[in-house]
Amino acid sequence: MAPHTVVVSERPMPEDIRSAHRRIDVRGTRLHLAEYGGTGTPVLMLHGFPQHWYAWHQVAAQLLDGYRLICPDLRGFGWSGITPRGYDMDGLAADALALLDALGLERVGLVGHDWGAHLGFRLCLRAPERFTGYLALNMSHPWPRHRAVLPNLWRLWFTACVEYPLLGRAVLRHLPGFTRYLLRHQAADPAVWSPAELAEYGAATSASAVAAQSLFWQYVVHDIPALVRGTWRRHRLTVPTLLLGGERDNVVVPLMLAGAEPYADELTVRVVPGAGHYLPQERPEEVAEAVRELFGPRTPLPSVAL
C-alpha cells in the first residue's frame, strides 16, 4: 500500500504523564503506540471498540513496576494511520506481529479487550510461539456453543447500525452520541465513565469511522462464515489463556464464555461479579491482578461460577 494512502489523525491526545508515545511504520501504515514502563515483562495490550490506547490507562497505573506495557492503536483507530483496507482479522494480526518484529520482541504476554480480544485469539492460533500467555477480556472464544449464542444475538443489535459501508460510516462520523450511548449502556454502572472520556471516545470514533465500520463489515464477510463452517474447530489453543467476563456484560453474556475447553490446552474462564462489558474501566485492579497471575506473581481473582 502506497504511503500517500495513509491518513493520520491530528486530534490532541488524552494526557497521561506515565505514558510515552511513538509511531512505527508497518505494512503500509504507521501505527501509534503508547508505552508504560521501560523495562520488565513485555505485554502487548489490544484495545476494543470504540476505544484506543487510552483504554488501558487505569490498568497501566496498577502495573508500572515490572512490566513494559505496549498499547498500540489498531490500524485506523486513535492516532494510527487510516488506510482504505486492511481491517480484517488476518490483516490486523499481521500488523501486530510486524509491530513485535519492529520492536525486536520475540515473545510477549498478550492482553485484549472486546475486538482486541477477538484479535488476540486469532494471534494465539496463528503464532502461538510469540506469546507466553493470553488474557482475554469481554469476548467470546472462537468455538462458541450455538445454543448459547443464538438466543443472545439480539444483544448485538447495534452492529446493524455500524457494519454497512454507507450507513455505518455516516452513523459513526456524524452521531458521536451513538458511541457515548453504547459506552454507557454496556457498562454495569454508566457513572464509570467521566464526561471527558465519553467526549473523547465519541470524537475518536468519528475520526476512525472508516476503520470501525470496516472492522465490523470484515467480521460479517469473513468471520461469521468461518464460525458457521466450524473452521476453528480444526485449530487448538496452546497458549495458556485466562478469559475474564463481566457478570452483567450485556454484549457477551457469561454463558457465551463456556465451551472452549475441548479446544484448549490450558484455559481458565472467570466471571467478575457486578461488572459489565468494560473491565479495563470498571475493574482495572482485577484486570491488573490477572496480568500478574499470567505473567508474574500469582494471586487468586474473585469470581462466580458459570
Side-chain angles (χ1 to χ4, degrees):
M1 190 176 298
H4 68 269
T5 64
V6 177
V7 178
V8 177
S9 174
E10 297 182 356
R11 294 190 316 108
M13 289 186 193
E15 292 187 8
D16 187 346
I17 61 173
R18 297 162 297 195
S19 62
H21 299 262
R22 57 173 157 159
R23 291 178 170 86
I24 296 180
D25 292 332
V26 298
R27 302 187 65 249
T29 191
R30 177 166 293 179
L31 295 183
H32 163 261
L33 63 150
E35 293 185 87
Y36 293 85
T39 60
T41 302
V43 181
L44 178 64
M45 308 183 77
L46 303 174
H47 68 84
F49 170 85
Q51 297 178 282
H52 46 62
W53 69 270
Y54 195 66
W56 300 110
H57 76 282
Q58 293 186 58
V59 175
Q62 312 288 324
L63 296 170
L64 295 178
D65 295 326
Y67 297 92
R68 177 188 175 187
L69 305 180
I70 302 158
C71 308
D73 291 332
L74 299 182
R75 175 187 293 257
F77 288 86
W79 289 265
S80 286
I82 302 170
T83 55
R85 59 188 65 84
Y87 302 103
D88 59 290
M89 281 297 130
D90 286 330
L92 294 175
D95 285 351
L97 294 173
L99 176 62
L100 294 181
D101 291 342
L103 294 173
L105 296 171
E106 186 63 31
R107 297 189 79 210
V108 299
L110 180 62
V111 181
H113 172 253
D114 184 74
W115 278 110
H118 184 66
L119 173 58
F121 277 113
R122 184 66 55 88
L123 283 164
C124 288
L125 294 174
R126 174 171 170 172
E129 72 282 357
R130 303 297 298 268
F131 305 105
T132 59
Y134 177 38
L135 172 61
L137 307 171
N138 301 108
M139 178 51 65
S140 57
H141 51 75
W143 306 276
R145 300 180 300 180
H146 295 308
R147 66 179 181 272
V149 173
L150 293 178
N152 288 292
L153 285 178
W154 64 271
R155 299 178 183 276
L156 302 177
W157 62 267
F158 63 93
T159 64
C161 300
V162 300
E163 62 195 16
Y164 297 103
L166 295 179
L167 173 64
R169 295 184 188 188
V171 169
L172 295 169
R173 183 174 288 124
H174 301 297
L175 298 176
F178 179 76
T179 298
R180 296 193 296 268
Y181 168 79
L182 292 179
L183 290 167
R184 290 192 298 262
H185 174 69
Q186 294 171 0
D189 179 5
V192 71
W193 303 107
S194 70
E197 286 175 313
L198 291 173
E200 167 55 35
Y201 292 129
T205 303
S206 294
S208 64
V210 170
Q213 178 275 317
S214 298
L215 178 67
F216 279 87
W217 184 242
Q218 291 301 315
Y219 181 82
V220 172
V221 173
H222 296 291
D223 292 46
I224 290 179
L227 289 173
V228 172
R229 293 193 302 266
T231 298
W232 301 110
R233 296 181 186 276
R234 300 191 294 270
H235 296 76
R236 188 166 187 83
L237 181 64
T238 59
V239 177
T241 298
L242 174 57
L243 175 54
L244 286 188
E247 181 186 31
R248 296 174 58 190
D249 190 332
N250 57 18
V251 180
V252 182
V253 298
L255 283 176
M256 296 171 66
L257 305 180
E261 291 78 7
Y263 305 97
D265 289 351
E266 186 178 342
L267 171 66
T268 302
V269 178
R270 296 195 183 123
V271 177
V272 179
H277 187 65
Y278 288 93
L279 286 174
Q281 281 68 43
E282 299 178 68
R283 297 289 193 277
E285 297 85 359
E286 294 182 42
V287 173
E289 189 56 43
V291 170
R292 296 187 190 98
E293 180 175 350
L294 275 174
F295 312 120
R298 294 180 176 267
T299 303
L301 278 173
S303 61
V304 296
L306 287 173

